[in-house]
Amino acid sequence: MTPGPPAARTDSYYGRPVIKAPAWSAQDIAGYFFLGGLAGAGSVLAAGAQLTGRTTTARALKVSSLAAVGLSAAALVHDLGRPSRFPHMLRVFKPTSPMSMGSWLLSAYGPAAGAAALTSVTGRLPRTGAAATAAAALLGPALATYTAVLAADTAVPAWHGAHRELPYLFAASATAAASGMALLTGPPRENSPARYAAVFAAVAEDTAFRAAERRLGSVAVTYREGRAGTLMRAARTLTAAGTAGAVLFGHRSRPAAAAAGLALLVGSACTRFGVFAAGIASAEDPAHTVGPQREALERRRATLAQ
């Protein structure tokens, strides 16, 4: 029997992708990932700032969370193509669907964030504002991480293979972004919780990413090469620089705190765009689809042979 072409035997038929890469716009969906994380984590930090008497920081974070969720919803609607498609997604309530749950989560969080920001800026209806702040803080963690579940629920190798670590990575990245926003917009006398949160976020993000690389095996190369590799390296550098600046100088100087906050924000955005780019790269290369399946099969055979 004549052997088939190398691409057919080692990767796929004539090297063509085995799965179809998501038709999502990088600008819209990766931006949606980042802005949703910023909004959700920002509401948690805003509630903490409100409880501890850091009213200026709390107000700034509430306003920034409202702006972020508004922009994230706009990015999602733009990617859907027609605004009417978003309300249609609310016609179904399906707990097993990350997209369905995400649509409902966004619809519930938006009004809460809006009420929290409006009452904080106007100073009116303090009880309503407190309830809205608490509601936004309760929904915030889910908003910050559900996009990781949405991505991991696909067949994209770089996302699905890291389905256990991706939510933790997104949570840490969102915390870094919210900490950066607090440093950027709040006064230095109120930013000690944000500085501590930045340290936690930097350590957690690095730990989650390393764990994801170990689980992905050969597919992890998609996070190290090309556009994704550039973005992930930039994310690590900016997050480390922003954290160091916040810890060393953030409590002393408003410009230093703002610079550190900006570095954390951009670093978080690079993480989300890097994860998105790695996913697209893994879907377009058939070796990343077929390879892990064959590796798992070989491990299973080796285990049975023992």
Side-chain angles (χ1 to χ4, degrees), residues 2 16 20 58 88 93 102 133 137 144 155 175 197 226 240 275 290 299:
T2 303
R16 297 181 64 83
K20 184 179 180 180
H88 289 170
F93 185 85
T133 298
T175 303
V275 169
V290 178
R299 287 195 298 269

Side-chain angles (χ1 to χ4, degrees), residues 22 61 65 75 104 109 111 122 142 168 197 215 218 221 274 305:
L61 286 172
S65 291
W104 282 98
Y109 172 86
T122 62
Y168 296 101
R215 184 178 300 277
S218 61
V221 71

Side-chain angles (χ1 to χ4, degrees), residues 63-298:
V63 172
S64 67
S65 291
L66 176 60
V69 75
L71 290 172
S72 69
L76 177 61
V77 170
H78 184 266
D79 188 75
L80 290 173
R82 290 201 304 267
S84 61
R85 289 178 176 172
F86 182 79
H88 289 170
M89 295 168 68
L90 301 177
R91 296 169 63 184
V92 176
F93 185 85
K94 189 176 181 181
T96 57
S97 169
M99 183 171 292
S100 175
M101 291 296 95
S103 302
W104 282 98
L105 177 62
L106 193 62
S107 299
Y109 172 86
L118 184 61
T119 55
S120 181
V121 170
T122 62
R124 298 181 178 180
L125 303 175
R127 292 185 178 179
T128 301
T133 298
L138 288 173
L139 295 171
L143 182 69
T145 56
Y146 100 87
T147 49
V149 180
L150 175 65
D153 197 45
T154 66
V156 175
W159 298 340
H160 184 73
H163 65 279
R164 294 183 180 178
E165 294 80 13
L166 210 56
Y168 296 101
L169 179 63
F170 274 36
S173 175
T175 303
S179 301
M181 183 60 73
L183 289 163
L184 182 63
T185 58
R189 67 179 183 276
E190 293 184 359
N191 70 16
S192 56
R195 290 186 281 114
Y196 296 140
V199 174
F200 169 78
V203 174
E205 185 173 341
D206 184 68
T207 301
F209 181 66
R210 291 180 184 275
E213 284 188 311
R214 288 193 296 271
R215 184 178 300 277
L216 286 169
S218 61
V219 180
V221 71
T222 57
Y223 285 93
R224 304 188 194 111
E225 297 180 350
R227 176 177 173 81
T230 301
L231 287 167
M232 297 305 290
R233 286 189 293 272
R236 289 194 294 271
T237 300
L238 287 166
T239 300
T243 302
V247 171
L248 297 175
F249 310 110
H251 60 296
R252 301 177 182 177
S253 165
R254 181 65 182 269
L262 184 60
L264 288 166
L265 278 166
V266 178
S268 177
C270 286
T271 296
R272 302 303 177 107
F273 277 81
V275 169
F276 185 88
I280 299 301
S282 69
E284 291 176 346
D285 189 340
H288 296 313
T289 304
V290 178
Q293 296 175 351
R294 291 179 175 171
E295 291 172 4
L297 181 59
E298 291 299 325

